[in-house]
Each structure stands twice: as C-alpha cells, then as structure tokens.
Amino acid sequence: MMAAHKEKTKLSALIESTTGYKVLPLTSAIRADLEPFVKQAIVDYNAGPKYPGRPNEFGNHMESVLQATSTRFEKPRKADGKKQSTGYPDLMFSSNGTRVYPEIKCLAEGSDASDMRSFYLSSFDKITGDAVHVVIGFEHNDKVLTGRYHIVDMVDKILTVKVEYACSNRELYEQKNAN
C-alpha cells in the first residue's frame, strides 16, 4: 500500500516494514569509534584543494574522503552481492561486529535550522541486515570545512512522505516525440 503524501513515518518503522531488518540505536561506543575517522576526514579534506564541483554534490565528495580514512568503510552491496553507487545508504562501517550505515551530508555553516530537505531515501536495496543508521553532516563555509560535524542517530527520526511520479530522459524524449 502506498503512503499518503505528507504522511509522517519513523525511519526505523519504514525500514523494518520494507526490509525486515531492524534499525539499531547509536551507542556511545559506536560514536566514539566513528569520530576519529570523521575528524581525520576534515583534516584530510582541508589539507587538499577545495572541492570544485557543485555544492549539492559536495557530500558525494566527502563520502570518498571519509572512506579513504579507513578500510572499515566500504560501499554497501545489494542482497545479490552487487555494488550500487546511488541510493541510500552511502557507506557501510563495521564497529565491533555491528553494522553501521553512514549517510554523508554537507551543510552550510549556520543552516542546521533550515527547512531545506537534506535527507531522503527512495530505495532499500543496499540495506541487507540489522544496522545502526546515522547521518554524518560536515559543516562548511564556501566548501571549506569548519571543523564542526554532526553524527545523527536516525533510529527515532521522523520522515515525511513526498509522493513523486517521474520518467527518465529516455521516456521523455523518445524518438517518436522528436521533431
């Protein structure tokens, strides 16, 4: 059954009902395990050239910077074992036998109270087990990291449904419609 537009649902309930897997709470031990890598990613990024791409793709870049800090970060695989770069979650991290799914975001300094949509998910293919789900948000000022970051436990986060119907460029611009 399709959810109604603007309906509210808890991320953990949505993932469990869709995948059968539980969203586990972030513990202080897992947070302490993640933080050194997050801090190192900030140092590593700020030591190099400023990301030249579009601001809304900065998070994708920071995902690779964070992944380079440790082999414990890897791209999650779908149930069939294949890697998929797009979709939620960005990475998988192992913390003392617990699976952690970090989603990487960059937010402009001072924008943490903004109503701008910054988290969404549309597929669940890469969720293949019980896990802690976190958003790691790096604060920046004109694509220079400020040193401030957020590790957000998603277990109790409420999401708002946004019903969207779409078609691809292939469907939209089929040859039979071309002039």
Side-chain angles (χ1 to χ4, degrees):
M1 185 167 131
M2 191 163 134
H5 188 66
K6 298 210 176 204
E7 182 178 329
K8 305 282 187 190
T9 187
K10 196 184 260 191
L11 175 82
S12 55
L14 176 64
I15 288 176
E16 188 168 349
S17 69
T18 304
T19 68
Y21 298 115
K22 294 190 179 315
V23 175
L24 307 173
L26 176 65
T27 65
S28 57
I30 292 172
R31 178 183 295 276
D33 198 15
L34 276 169
E35 281 187 322
F37 301 112
V38 172
K39 291 175 181 177
Q40 187 61 52
I42 292 168
V43 169
D44 292 349
Y45 172 79
N46 282 338
K50 186 164 95 170
Y51 175 66
R54 296 177 4 185
N56 61 337
E57 295 170 352
F58 189 17
N60 297 339
H61 178 72
M62 285 308 300
E63 174 186 327
S64 62
V65 173
L66 181 61
Q67 188 175 7
T69 65
S70 174
T71 58
R72 291 171 59 194
F73 289 100
E74 58 185 275
K75 292 284 190 186
R77 296 178 183 271
K78 301 187 312 183
D80 63 8
K82 293 180 182 174
K83 287 184 181 178
Q84 179 178 323
S85 60
T86 60
Y88 177 82
D90 290 333
L91 295 172
M92 188 170 72
F93 176 79
S94 180
S95 180
N96 297 314
T98 300
R99 180 187 315 229
V100 180
Y101 286 131
E103 179 75 359
I104 312 307
K105 301 293 180 188
C106 289
L107 64 151
E109 183 177 33
S111 71
D112 53 332
S114 164
D115 285 337
M116 181 183 81
R117 180 189 77 168
S118 58
F119 176 85
Y120 67 94
L121 60 114
S122 58
S123 69
F124 303 87
D125 296 346
K126 297 191 292 183
I127 299 171
T128 58
D130 295 346
V132 173
H133 292 248
V134 297
V135 167
I136 299 174
F138 293 95
E139 286 193 26
H140 72 95
N141 185 335
D142 192 27
K143 294 188 273 183
V144 174
L145 298 180
T146 65
R148 288 185 296 281
Y149 61 89
H150 307 265
I151 299 176
V152 180
D153 185 358
M154 297 299 288
V155 72
D156 289 324
K157 289 297 177 189
I158 303 295
L159 305 179
T160 303
V161 175
K162 176 186 175 190
V163 176
E164 182 175 286
Y165 299 92
C167 66
S168 69
N169 276 354
R170 182 180 322 135
E171 296 162 330
L172 188 61
Y173 302 110
E174 289 180 86
Q175 188 60 36
K176 66 183 179 187
N177 294 332
N179 286 337

